[in-house]
Amino acid sequence: MLIIGHRGARGEAPENTLSGFNYLKSLGVLALELDIHVSKDQQLVVIHDDSLERTTTGIGLVKEHCAADLADLNACSYFKDWPFQDGVPLLQEVLALVSDFSHLQLEVKVKDAQDYVIVGRELAKLWPQFSHRMVTTSFNTAYLAYMQQHYPQIQRGLLVESDFIGDIIATAQQLDCQLIAPHHSLLNKILVDTAHQQKLHVSTWTVNDPQRMQELAAMGLDSLITDYPSLALKTL
């Protein structure tokens, strides 16, 4: 089972930062999950929230700021004693840093249809270099449907919340996804086996308990997203 660093190594380093991704790399974990928003000047930037206050020294919405201004913020200050002061990075900066990684899950957080156009256009530029390692994921089925229609060559993954009601596999198939990532509370051996029969990669999030890591590994899961990759390495 592949260990994937959640937003880098969210429990061990500042999330979605270049130094955090470098930390993940130093552990020897070469699989990454990160989050994408669109800046005011239509650049793809790597940050989880649509607002800046929780993880940076900035104020307001990400989409109200140009990428250069986001880069000037400190996105590490909330993480006690961290020695670096990274800003909000561009996606292309992150991908340059992790160009040797084997698996990249790019969670797209945008909700507006006009942003789908920007994300699709920019991911299509990056796709040739990362085609066998990169998947764009989202809870937003409208975004996934847009990508299915306009950029079918780009692999897609369906993220599913713990309160999801419906058929996960059927929904993924309707969107022609190659990956599903349900919350780990939804997983069982039957679901994993059925997904594999349909040639779907099965991932899950966010697993930080050693016993649960072992239970999921026993189900035959393909990959596991965790805030604590060091713990996962020791456990698995």
Side-chain angles (χ1 to χ4, degrees):
M1 184 171 63
L2 187 66
I3 296 169
I4 301 174
H6 186 217
R7 308 180 201 171
R10 185 185 177 217
E12 303 175 36
E15 66 179 63
N16 285 324
T17 62
L18 292 177
S19 58
F21 299 141
N22 256 326
Y23 170 81
L24 180 67
K25 195 173 186 176
S26 75
L27 298 177
V29 175
L30 301 182
L32 171 65
E33 186 273 349
L34 55 78
D35 305 284
I36 296 173
H37 278 280
V38 176
S39 68
K40 183 178 180 180
D41 53 343
Q42 300 188 354
Q43 301 293 308
L44 302 190
V45 293
V46 179
I47 183 172
H48 178 272
D49 299 2
D50 59 5
S51 59
L52 297 168
E53 287 82 357
R54 182 178 66 86
T55 58
T56 82
T57 50
I59 296 173
L61 298 175
V62 173
K63 66 181 181 181
E64 295 173 342
H65 297 265
C66 292
D69 295 330
L70 295 170
D72 285 338
L73 300 174
N74 185 352
C76 301
S77 61
Y78 76 96
F79 206 92
K80 186 178 179 181
D81 299 328
W82 191 253
F84 304 103
Q85 295 187 16
D86 304 349
V88 177
L90 291 167
L91 176 61
Q92 62 191 40
E93 292 178 303
V94 175
L95 292 180
L97 178 67
V98 301
S99 61
D100 57 340
F101 277 36
S102 61
H103 184 85
L104 300 166
Q105 290 190 26
L106 312 186
E107 182 184 343
V108 173
K109 309 296 286 190
V110 300
K111 300 174 183 177
D112 298 330
Q114 59 265 34
D115 287 336
Y116 304 166
V117 177
I118 298 167
V119 172
R121 180 187 68 210
E122 297 305 314
L123 289 185
K125 294 176 185 177
L126 299 165
W127 179 250
Q129 183 180 355
F130 295 95
S131 59
H132 298 294
R133 297 175 284 154
M134 186 171 78
V135 56
T136 178
T137 65
S138 186
F139 295 99
N140 184 347
T141 55
Y143 162 75
L144 293 173
Y146 174 85
M147 295 298 289
Q148 178 187 17
Q149 179 179 358
H150 295 279
Y151 300 98
Q153 76 277 19
I154 297 178
Q155 293 187 77
R156 293 169 300 284
L158 174 66
L159 299 175
V160 179
E161 298 273 14
S162 58
D163 58 356
F164 179 85
I165 298 175
D167 190 321
I168 296 171
I169 294 175
T171 303
Q173 289 177 320
Q174 288 169 5
L175 295 164
D176 196 22
C177 291
Q178 290 75 40
L179 175 148
I180 58 170
H183 185 267
H184 70 88
S185 63
L186 297 173
L187 288 175
N188 55 61
K189 187 72 163 60
I190 293 174
L191 177 60
V192 173
D193 288 348
T194 303
H196 284 161
Q197 289 168 8
Q198 301 302 318
K199 302 188 184 306
L200 288 165
H201 177 114
V202 184
S203 191
T204 195
W205 55 278
T206 303
V207 188
N208 298 326
D209 176 70
Q211 181 177 343
R212 188 58 175 158
M213 291 176 183
Q214 292 172 337
E215 290 170 352
L216 292 165
M219 290 181 197
L221 206 67
D222 297 298
S223 61
L224 176 148
I225 300 169
T226 179
D227 291 332
Y228 296 95
S230 292
L231 175 63
L233 285 170
K234 292 176 183 177
T235 302
L236 299 172

